[in-house]
Amino acid sequence: MTSLPARRLLLVHAHPDDESINNGATMAKYAAEGVQVTLVTCTLGEEGEIIPPALAHLAADREDTLGPHRAAELAAAMKELGVADHRFLGGQGRFRDSGMMGAPQNHREDAFWHAEVDAAASYLVTVLREVRPQVLITYDPDGGYGHPDHIQAHRVAMRAAELAAEPTYRPDFGLPHAVEKVYWNRVPRPVADEAFAHLRAEDPGFPGIASVDDVPGVVDEEHITTEIDGSAYAGAKTAAMRAHATQISVHEPWFLLSNELAQPVFATEYYERVLPPRTEEEADEDIRESDLFEGIEDA
Ligand SMILES: [Zn+2]
């Protein structure tokens, strides 16, 4: 354990590309500062829609080889962010992309949505006890926007944090470990509103423009506890997003998903800290953290 870097950050995401869109600047910043950054991705995103026509043959309803292709995109994105430690929950291909809510793929035997939460969490407990992160980042209970794999990633991450700290739970998985801080990905509504207003005013000629409701994790300002200024890493973030070429087309400072609706790239990334809960003082004085490791001793 003495060989672990002093500060350690673990992120749990549903599909390759979610990490770069939500946390790319945060990941690049902390990796550059010598923090051990570990990404656990729960599925390969096999059901994703494919943007480049030349790669359409990879789709789930054709060759069904999008998963391994997206694993390679993820590896390229992690190079851009300087993140060396990225893993798939339970190993590559253990859990499959469940598709959008209500899709028949939700019910596949191997769909992540179909997985038993404690069983899926057990794979994450092994990572938590090995990497021993002080800080955990995942989605809110709605998964940011209601995608089954995002909801499940939230459940699995929160449950694994509990189990990892429980001394009687699977001692064979390593010494118990309690994360000190847990964050959910957020975007403050006024920030999203302003960015979309700017996008509409500039009208760069995209086929269409998304709306604030298309952005995961948008909440009112009072939920925001933490703001990470990643402007120095905006280039790394967009480079990582660009590496997910089947899913994202980047036109800085905007990007489009397969729905061809433009959205802003956020270089400042926002979080809601749920552990420890926001203090009264923080709420009253509207104090925001500017560092995920604030208050952690020996970090
Ligand atoms: Zn996703």
Side-chain angles (χ1 to χ4, degrees), residues 156-167:
V156 165
M158 300 303 283
R159 181 63 176 144
E162 236 171 61
L163 292 172
E166 176 53 59

Side-chain angles (χ1 to χ4, degrees), residues 13-18 22 70 139 145 147 149-150:
H13 273 293
H15 312 111
D17 80 356
D18 293 317
N22 286 281
R70 290 187 69 178
Y139 312 110
Y145 73 111
H147 189 294
D149 292 328
H150 287 239

Side-chain angles (χ1 to χ4, degrees), residues 41-46 88-97 109-113 115-116 119-121 123:
T41 308
C42 297
T43 79
L44 289 168
E46 294 93 334
F88 288 97
L89 185 67
Q92 184 169 330
R94 169 77 59 180
F95 299 106
R96 187 176 165 106
D97 186 337
E109 199 60 38
D110 54 353
F112 188 44
W113 185 236
E116 210 256 310
Y123 295 109

